[in-house]
Amino acid sequence: MSTENLPQSPEQPQRKPRVAVVFGGRSSEHGISVVTAGAVLSAIDRTKYDVLPIGITQDGRWALTADDPARMAIVDREQPSVEQIAESTEGGVVLPVDPSSREVVYTEPGSVPKALGEVDVVFPVLHGPYGEDGTLQGLLELSGVPYVGSGVLASAVGQDKDYMKRVFTSFGLKVGPYVVIRPREWEQDESAARKKIVDFAGEHGWPLFVKPARAGSSFGITKVDDLAGLDEAIAEAQRHDPKIIVEALLTGREIECGVLEFEDGPRASVPAEIPPVQSHAFYDFEAKYIDSADGIVPAPLTEEQTAEVRRLAVEAFEAASCEGLVRADFFLTDDGEFVINEINTMPGFTPISMYPRMWRETGVSYAELVDRLVQAALRRSTGLR
């Protein structure tokens, strides 16, 4: 039977993919996450995607927020917060827990829950624990919602400097000397734990860098020049994480390289160099985000060195089973060897951050970078892969 003369149903307009940009969070990097979200919200193509900004407050509430990047910037050295842009002090956003539905719901005390529509992909720009460390990624896996960036394992490995270095070593990547003090060691015998660090200093020399094992943005890091400053440095690191890592000083140049997932696999950007910051003891939070220390892009390396660090950055990406994006940080030692310091599975996306600057120099604009990350997430399934 011919259907040629039957009335035709009008074509339904195709719905644009909906991207939930999730930011803020409970870690000490809350403010930087808000700044990153502002940059992403400014860059994402609104003709191609619908956008839903969701902020997580410092006490863990998921809030519907204003879509207002101008209010998500550092002003007078003060970081923004989700609380400042949340549309309600009580309302909460609830993600689906049933993989058969991607409907997001907004609830307020005493009110009927309001459906906000389906979410096709989450762009989580949280930094640090409770967001970048696999916890949010696990929630999204349970919900069946695709998301930008690495999965549960890679996110957890990328957050924990101890296990990150163990993974890199097992894949043949060179790391610098370090020692780890776990919470139980410190609780059971502070003297023995402190002696472990002192013995490490005796072997590798001062200064040392005392760090939280699972924090980023250089929070809680202290350069310790001698025994007198050790206890204060330990206390500062433990303020961010009960597990601490102590690293020996590596002399050389700080080199960074971005990795981005393309359709045919991960590729590395041109590298950047972080020059010594004269006004700071090292490349700390203030230097990165407040005083805008200038990185050199591209790094002044030989052709062979550039090729080598790009190769190593992709190797680190693959070793940790990363997806989407990574910034890999290296030291180029005085004897010409690249030593990997760490990776960031959700590096800073602020306007002055090195990751987008390196890709811009490589030929990928900020807007294209955001688009590629969303498209890569939409291509992937959740679950085991």
Side-chain angles (χ1 to χ4, degrees):
M1 176 180 174
S2 172
T3 60
E4 185 177 345
N5 297 319
L6 293 178
Q8 301 296 309
S9 300
E11 287 190 12
Q12 297 296 318
Q14 187 173 8
R15 183 175 67 84
K16 290 185 289 188
R18 199 159 198 225
V19 181
V21 179
V22 180
F23 58 96
R26 294 162 53 194
S27 82
S28 51
E29 298 173 77
H30 177 99
I32 292 305
S33 175
V34 178
V35 175
T36 297
V40 171
L41 289 169
S42 294
I44 196 165
D45 187 350
R46 304 304 178 103
T47 67
K48 192 172 181 178
Y49 306 106
D50 284 328
V51 179
L52 178 66
I54 300 174
I56 302 177
T57 64
Q58 288 161 317
D59 62 3
R61 179 173 63 92
W62 289 51
L64 199 59
T65 70
D67 187 358
D68 188 356
R71 296 170 59 193
M72 304 165 75
I74 295 174
V75 178
D76 295 331
R77 307 178 77 88
E78 290 294 324
Q79 299 176 52
S81 70
V82 168
E83 286 80 357
Q84 293 168 350
I85 56 174
E87 294 193 351
S88 166
T89 58
E90 295 183 311
V93 176
V94 180
L95 284 182
V97 292
D98 180 356
S100 65
S101 170
R102 293 180 180 174
E103 188 86 23
V104 175
V105 174
Y106 178 73
T107 64
E108 285 198 49
S111 300
V112 176
K114 175 184 175 183
L116 298 178
E118 291 189 348
V119 166
D120 297 290
V121 62
V122 170
F123 198 137
V125 293
L126 293 102
H127 303 303
Y130 314 113
E132 190 183 348
D133 60 349
T135 50
L136 177 62
Q137 290 74 15
L139 173 63
L140 295 173
E141 292 286 352
L142 289 172
S143 301
V145 180
Y147 53 92
V148 169
S150 291
V152 175
L153 174 66
S155 296
V157 168
Q159 188 65 43
D160 191 314
K161 295 176 178 64
D162 174 17
Y163 286 96
M164 182 197 308
K165 291 175 188 292
R166 291 171 184 264
V167 168
F168 289 155
T169 301
S170 72
F171 277 83
L173 293 163
K174 186 173 179 60
V175 304
Y178 70 98
V179 66
V180 175
I181 304 297
R182 293 173 174 78
R184 189 175 294 118
E185 291 180 82
W186 189 258
E187 292 163 5
Q188 291 180 344
D189 193 336
E190 285 188 20
S191 297
R194 191 180 292 105
K195 183 178 184 302
K196 186 175 175 182
I197 299 173
V198 173
D199 289 346
F200 178 79
E203 181 179 358
H204 297 285
W206 301 91
L208 302 175
F209 288 89
V210 180
K211 305 179 177 182
R214 295 163 293 191
S217 297
S218 297
F219 278 111
I221 299 177
T222 305
K223 181 182 179 183
V224 183
D225 293 314
D226 52 41
L227 188 59
L230 183 58
D231 284 354
E232 185 178 346
I234 291 171
E236 172 60 17
Q238 289 176 333
R239 195 166 65 83
H240 298 269
D241 185 353
K243 179 180 179 181
I244 67 171
I245 186 168
V246 180
E247 296 174 349
L249 174 69
L250 289 177
T251 57
R253 300 161 62 187
E254 291 190 48
I255 306 295
E256 298 184 347
C257 195
V259 180
L260 177 64
E261 183 180 342
F262 286 74
E263 290 81 357
D264 59 352
R267 302 181 199 170
S269 70
V270 299
E273 179 169 4
I274 307 301
V277 185
Q278 301 302 323
S279 58
H280 296 265
F282 59 95
Y283 193 45
D284 61 5
F285 173 83
E286 293 276 324
K288 285 181 180 178
Y289 296 107
I290 304 297
D291 295 332
S292 306
D294 289 330
I296 303 170
V297 188
L301 300 170
T302 67
E303 191 174 317
E304 292 77 14
Q305 288 172 328
T306 296
E308 175 68 0
V309 75
R310 294 177 83 169
R311 181 186 70 80
L312 290 172
V314 172
E315 279 197 16
F317 182 96
E318 298 283 32
S321 299
C322 295
E323 295 170 289
L325 72 165
V326 147
R327 193 193 73 234
D329 301 345
F330 297 86
F331 290 103
L332 176 56
T333 62
D334 293 341
D335 60 4
E337 185 173 35
F338 283 104
V339 176
I340 188 163
N341 183 37
E342 64 178 17
I343 58 171
N344 279 265
T345 56
M346 186 51 68
F349 261 76
T350 69
I352 63 170
S353 295
M354 296 308 299
Y355 185 83
R357 286 184 59 193
M358 288 186 287
W359 277 109
R360 185 166 62 245
E361 187 68 25
T362 311
V364 180
S365 69
Y366 194 108
E368 184 185 350
L369 187 60
V370 170
D371 185 64
R372 283 192 172 278
L373 289 169
V374 172
Q375 288 297 316
L378 287 169
R379 288 194 300 269
R380 290 196 304 267
S381 62
T382 53
L384 298 177
R385 53 189 182 272

